[in-house]
Amino acid sequence: MIYLDNSATTQPFSEVLQTFQDASMQYFGNPSSLHSAGMNAEQLLTKARTATAKLFSIDPKEVVYTSGGTEGNNLAIKGTALEHVSRGRHLITSQVEHPSVLEAFEQLENAGFEVTYLPVDASGRVSPKEVQHSLRKDTTLVSIMHVNNEIGTVQPVEEIADILQHVPHTYFHVDHVQGVGKVSLDFAHPGIDLCTVSGHKVHAVKGTGFLYVRQGVSLSPLFHGGKQEQSLRSGTENVPGIAALAKALRMSLERSDELDRLEGLKRRLMFAFQEMPGAVVNTPDDASAPHIFNVAFPGVKPEVVIQSLAKKGIHVSTKSACASKLQQASPVLLALGRDVETATSAIRVSLCFDTTEEEIDQLLKALHECLPEFLEVMGAKNA
Amino acid sequence: MASIYADHAATTPLDPSVAEVMYEEMISNPGNPSSIHSFGRSARKTVDEARRQAASSIGAVPENIIFTSGGTEADNLAVAGFAKANEARGRHIITTKIEHHAVLHPAEALEALGFDVDYIDVDESGIVSVKDIEAALREDTILVTVMHGNNETGALQPIAEIGALLQEHQAAFHTDAVQTFGLLDLNVDELKVDMLTASAHKIYGPKGAGFLYVRNHIQLEPALRGGEQERRRRAGTENVAQLAGVSKALKLADTHKNERYEMLADRSAQFVQALMEKDITFQLNGPQHERLPHIVNVSFQGVSVEPLLVNLDLAGIAVSSGSACTAGSVEPSHVLKAMYGDDKRIYSSVRFSFGRDTTAEEIDQIAESLERVLQRMAKKA
């Protein structure tokens, strides 16, 4: 079994599962309780928070635990827009964001906000200059992802942060879900106010994540109740999940010396398809993440390729898992300027630290076996 | 020194077999349920199974279950999510003064948005009257939310009666059943509710998991937008392993429901009996009869609650002064305030909540420690 859909979700590290298991049994108390069972759980929570903050050189108070990336993005975007509505109703994002960002903005549009969706170039990149030009007096938030989940493009978020650092009334949110552990980001950059992290993309357990909220940034919470997480996120803390997240983040970041190897594997895929007739490589040559590779075979149904690979025990995906049931063109690929045929025929291969060269070879071999047939069928049709 | 956990209304230990199931699931089934490959499909099966279990535990159909990150999220979705999606029909909401903060705080946030919220009083036993709800109903009332079992006093609210009252009214009816779920037999049709909140970590399941039951015609404004999950009412990758744990916890709760109820009622009765036998002066907060079997809330006149809790904790006994969710604060409980006003008893109340592993010996030990601690505190005073 070769699992190459790590941008959808990853297998938790076994050490992480052990932490989760141990914490579940030994630290089961409610951290808000005043007795020792509660205090032990609270201590573990504090330990995890401190360790996590240290990994990203931020303050423990700046870590707001959530149920994952979707909640982190929704909290950052709606929380900022609603909290600062008196200062303005204009928001900026890009056309290639994750659905949890785009739909949060749509919801705000319905509530009377005005949203600028910035276009991207053929590599999927937002221009920092365009961000600057779109800024208005009433712009309260800019939200740009770090690494695109479908094609792996790395956005110039630090350059955008350099600009926004000098615009005090505009907050900057970065969806870092696909970047964590793969493409480094300076959380402490004074221009970055909010940053979303999800656990299950970095070998932690599902239902975990955090939103980095720079000190001094105020947000309107999505959930009200017991005032946990400095009132920004009420609800009994998922202590075992949070401890497991701290472990998974540490283990992932410790393996950063393997990123060059991953980049090499991705390059191998790039080279293999760049010269292949009928294939359109969507992942850009420069400034793309080391673990995501996207290629389209215009005219070939991606489901057919996926099923054919699955029969050989190789698992890849069409596009973002969160939208994979829709048989539509990828909005990301359309935003790149690809035609509808290309945008409906892409497959995504996403790697993890344990992906081997042999696995990539097997994928290539399998594709070389099945693709000519599919392409031929297409060719015959077109002829 | 052995420690005794008597704070099950705050949270319960994870059942080892639930932990086992979750561990297995994470090892063997890493997929994202939205992925179309076999890993994804296998994860989807786990989610579907959990949904069936959750639905059948309250007499509902699977389509009406929205999984959430827990009770707080589900309550917020039911209150704020419902109000925002239905404000065209009215902006009046009815709730009670004794709800959990996960209901009260979103209600307050709605007031700030221009909604009109009535917080109905309760009587001295902590129970809301159906007549008072009826009297508060207006043409523009869109939502009534009343908890099923109170988390501090254990008082059971007349949910089915309120549900019957609302049959002829446009208002939707939500109940926070976090404390009764898994303990009482719940049926959404008998209770006549449109929405119901449940949480897993109160029934020996994992933290970070719960659900909202939502009847077919009910429209909600989602708090989390993004993917297609939960019929677009709650985006986010499903917490697959946790849902496997939820399935298991539900099965366990269901298998032993009746005997567990009897056992807990026995323990509570034994505890109250022991306090009387030891001549400890106390007042029982909450109703005599219409109550949850596992919660005993008592006030010890003239005793300050903080040192009492600390001393009990030193004696190895974990109890609480009220709802744990007030994030570590020891303020007088809003529930007891609603019942007794500013009476002294609200400053000296302790909540004991027992669980399936609480033994008769432990009840005796708790009563004995309590007697010792109270005597020592009285001497110092």
Side-chain angles (χ1 to χ4, degrees):
Chain A
M1 200 76 95
I2 301 174
Y3 183 75
L4 295 171
D5 193 15
N6 290 285
S7 286
T9 193
T10 57
Q11 173 135 32
F13 290 134
S14 55
E15 295 89 336
V16 167
L17 290 182
Q18 199 57 52
T19 299
F20 183 86
Q21 186 92 331
D22 292 348
S24 293
M25 303 313 289
Q26 289 159 29
Y27 296 88
F28 72 86
N30 186 324
S32 295
S33 296
L34 295 173
H35 46 64
S36 350
M39 284 187 306
N40 289 342
E42 197 199 2
Q43 271 166 18
L44 182 63
L45 179 63
T46 305
K47 214 174 121 192
R49 194 189 302 277
T50 309
T52 299
K54 209 175 154 201
L55 289 174
F56 298 99
S57 305
I58 57 179
D59 193 277
K61 284 197 215 73
E62 298 175 318
V63 175
V64 175
Y65 286 111
T66 64
S67 66
T70 292
E71 186 184 329
N73 284 338
N74 274 263
L75 176 58
I77 293 163
K78 292 187 279 194
T80 305
L82 296 175
E83 177 76 6
H84 302 285
V85 64
S86 62
R87 290 206 251 146
R89 293 180 157 252
H90 179 238
L91 315 161
I92 298 171
T93 186
S94 86
Q95 293 176 355
V96 297
E97 301 296 312
H98 188 267
S100 59
V101 166
L102 290 177
E103 293 200 19
F105 278 112
E106 276 168 35
Q107 210 173 2
L108 288 167
E109 278 185 296
N110 294 336
F113 285 82
E114 193 187 333
V115 182
T116 300
Y117 297 92
L118 294 174
V120 292
D121 64 17
S123 317
R125 204 160 290 129
V126 169
S127 140
K129 271 204 181 122
E130 277 204 63
V131 173
Q132 188 154 27
H133 291 149
S134 307
L135 286 172
R136 305 191 324 209
K137 268 190 189 148
D138 61 341
T139 309
T140 54
L141 176 72
V142 175
S143 176
I144 302 289
M145 75 201 317
H146 188 208
V147 171
N148 185 272
N149 54 308
E150 289 189 32
I151 59 174
T153 304
V154 178
Q155 300 291 359
V157 291
E158 289 184 14
E159 276 176 67
I160 298 170
D162 289 341
I163 296 168
L164 293 174
Q165 178 185 344
H166 306 293
V167 188
H169 64 276
T170 306
Y171 293 105
F172 184 34
H173 166 245
V174 178
D175 171 0
H176 187 43
V177 168
Q178 292 291 344
V180 187
K182 303 299 193 313
V183 184
S184 74
L185 176 70
D186 178 15
F187 279 47
H189 188 298
I192 296 177
D193 299 296
L194 300 146
C195 183
T196 304
V197 172
S198 160
H200 77 101
K201 312 281 190 193
V202 290
H203 308 277
V205 302
K206 291 183 180 61
T208 63
F210 74 86
L211 179 67
Y212 159 73
V213 182
R214 197 164 57 78
Q215 276 192 51
V217 176
S218 58
L219 291 179
S220 166
L222 295 175
F223 312 148
H224 302 264
K227 299 201 162 66
Q228 290 90 346
E229 300 295 310
Q230 304 170 68
S231 287
L232 286 176
R233 204 281 184 183
S234 288
T236 301
E237 300 89 337
N238 181 359
V239 178
I242 287 167
L245 173 62
K247 181 110 179 175
L249 286 168
R250 182 172 61 76
M251 289 179 66
S252 291
L253 292 171
E254 274 172 2
R255 294 180 75 169
S256 60
D257 56 340
E258 294 178 47
L259 289 171
D260 284 345
R261 193 183 64 81
L262 283 190
E263 176 69 25
L265 294 180
K266 185 195 73 181
R267 291 268 146 214
R268 203 178 162 79
L269 288 164
M270 304 272 291
F271 294 144
F273 289 99
Q274 265 159 357
E275 300 306 321
M276 184 184 191
V280 179
V281 173
N282 294 313
T283 298
D285 259 338
D286 60 323
S288 66
H291 64 304
I292 298 176
F293 172 71
N294 188 303
V295 62
F297 306 102
V300 179
K301 278 194 178 144
E303 293 78 14
V304 180
V305 180
I306 284 174
Q307 294 308 338
S308 166
L309 290 175
K311 275 187 203 140
K312 298 184 159 82
I314 303 172
H315 300 278
V316 299
S317 70
T318 45
K319 44 187 171 179
S320 144
C322 293
S324 62
K325 284 187 187 158
L326 302 175
Q327 303 293 316
Q328 304 161 350
S330 150
V332 174
L333 294 180
L334 291 177
L336 255 59
R338 302 285 195 267
D339 57 28
V340 174
E341 212 173 36
T342 306
T344 43
S345 63
I347 67 165
R348 177 182 68 181
V349 180
S350 47
L351 321 178
C352 70
F353 288 120
D354 293 328
T355 305
T356 63
E357 201 174 331
E358 290 71 43
E359 288 177 330
I360 295 300
D361 283 345
Q362 285 189 45
L363 168 71
L364 286 172
K365 189 163 162 271
L367 277 172
H368 280 290
E369 278 167 20
C370 71
L371 272 174
E373 190 188 327
F374 298 146
L375 290 168
E376 220 167 86
V377 172
M378 279 311 305
K381 255 191 223 163
N382 290 343
Chain B
M1 175 187 45
S3 74
I4 300 174
Y5 187 76
D7 198 13
H8 290 81
T11 191
T12 54
L14 191 65
D15 185 285
S17 70
V18 173
E20 188 81 15
V21 165
M22 289 168 62
Y23 191 78
E24 268 307 302
E25 185 71 25
M26 286 191 268
I27 291 274
S28 62
N29 214 351
N32 182 327
S34 296
S35 298
I36 58 177
H37 47 62
S38 65
F39 287 94
R41 290 197 306 272
S42 167
R44 168 65 50 207
K45 262 188 207 157
T46 303
V47 174
D48 289 346
E49 171 59 20
R51 202 182 303 281
R52 271 195 298 276
Q53 283 284 338
S56 82
S57 71
I58 54 168
V61 293
E63 294 75 55
N64 294 352
I65 303 295
I66 303 177
F67 284 119
T68 65
S69 68
T72 294
E73 185 186 335
D75 278 342
N76 273 264
L77 184 57
V79 177
F82 181 85
K84 286 176 189 164
N86 293 277
E87 59 178 319
R89 292 197 283 128
R91 309 188 110 206
H92 182 236
I93 294 167
I94 299 174
T95 184
T96 76
K97 286 189 174 160
I98 58 156
E99 299 300 307
H100 191 274
H101 285 137
V103 166
L104 289 177
H105 289 166
E108 285 160 20
L110 287 170
E111 282 188 282
L113 294 177
F115 284 84
D116 195 1
V117 184
D118 274 332
Y119 301 89
I120 307 297
D121 271 313
V122 293
D123 63 16
E124 283 227 339
S125 63
I127 296 175
V128 72
S129 122
V130 183
K131 282 214 174 92
D132 289 347
I133 301 274
E134 188 170 13
L137 269 178
R138 306 191 323 212
E139 240 174 57
D140 64 337
T141 308
I142 51 169
L143 176 69
V144 176
T145 169
V146 178
M147 73 197 321
H148 192 200
N150 183 269
N151 52 309
E152 295 190 32
T153 64
L156 287 171
Q157 308 302 322
I159 298 305
E161 288 87 333
I162 299 170
L165 167 74
L166 295 174
Q167 292 287 292
E168 301 303 314
H169 194 283
Q170 68 150 354
F173 186 31
H174 166 246
T175 190
D176 171 348
V178 167
Q179 291 294 340
T180 50
F181 181 66
L183 208 51
L184 309 186
D185 285 319
L186 300 187
N187 182 296
V188 289
D189 291 332
E190 284 166 20
L191 292 172
K192 298 187 172 62
V193 292
D194 299 305
M195 294 180 278
L196 179 145
T197 296
S199 164
H201 79 97
K202 313 279 188 191
I203 59 161
Y204 308 91
K207 290 187 176 58
F211 67 82
L212 181 68
Y213 157 79
V214 183
R215 208 174 276 282
N216 274 337
H217 59 276
I218 299 286
Q219 298 294 320
L220 298 175
E221 162 123 344
L224 303 184
R225 297 282 293 263
E228 302 289 314
Q229 297 94 346
E230 304 298 310
R231 303 182 156 223
R232 299 189 59 84
R233 291 172 302 187
R234 201 283 182 182
T237 301
E238 297 90 339
N239 199 339
V240 184
Q242 230 131 335
L243 291 177
V246 170
S247 285
K248 180 74 183 175
L250 284 171
K251 274 182 217 156
L252 290 173
D254 225 34
T255 321
H256 304 292
K257 205 180 271 169
N258 293 337
E259 45 191 294
R260 191 169 293 164
Y261 183 98
E262 294 302 326
M263 181 278 248
L264 289 169
D266 287 350
R267 298 283 182 271
S268 292
Q270 180 198 344
F271 180 62
V272 174
Q273 185 67 27
L275 293 184
M276 290 195 286
E277 279 166 13
K278 292 188 187 308
D279 248 347
I280 294 173
T281 318
F282 69 94
Q283 289 166 296
L284 195 63
N285 300 318
Q288 289 283 353
H289 302 295
E290 289 300 304
R291 57 179 301 113
L292 280 164
H294 66 303
I295 295 177
V296 181
N297 190 315
V298 281
S299 289
F300 303 100
Q301 279 110 320
V303 177
S304 20
V305 67
E306 237 172 306
L308 176 59
L309 290 183
V310 171
N311 279 301
L312 284 175
D313 192 36
L314 290 174
I317 293 162
V319 295
S320 88
S321 64
S323 135
C325 286
T326 317
S329 72
V330 195
E331 284 182 12
S333 138
H334 67 283
V335 175
L336 298 184
K337 232 183 203 167
M339 292 159 66
Y340 307 114
D342 202 32
D343 191 279
K344 273 186 204 146
R345 69 197 290 173
I346 75 168
Y347 297 95
S348 62
S349 87
V350 178
R351 176 186 70 181
F352 300 85
S353 51
F354 308 121
R356 59 173 201 198
D357 300 320
T358 309
T359 62
E361 291 71 42
E362 285 181 338
I363 296 287
D364 285 337
Q365 284 174 36
I366 296 171
E368 275 160 31
S369 297
L370 194 54
E371 183 183 31
R372 261 199 315 277
V373 167
L374 287 170
Q375 277 169 358
R376 207 164 53 216
M377 286 175 70
K379 263 184 216 159
K380 274 192 194 164

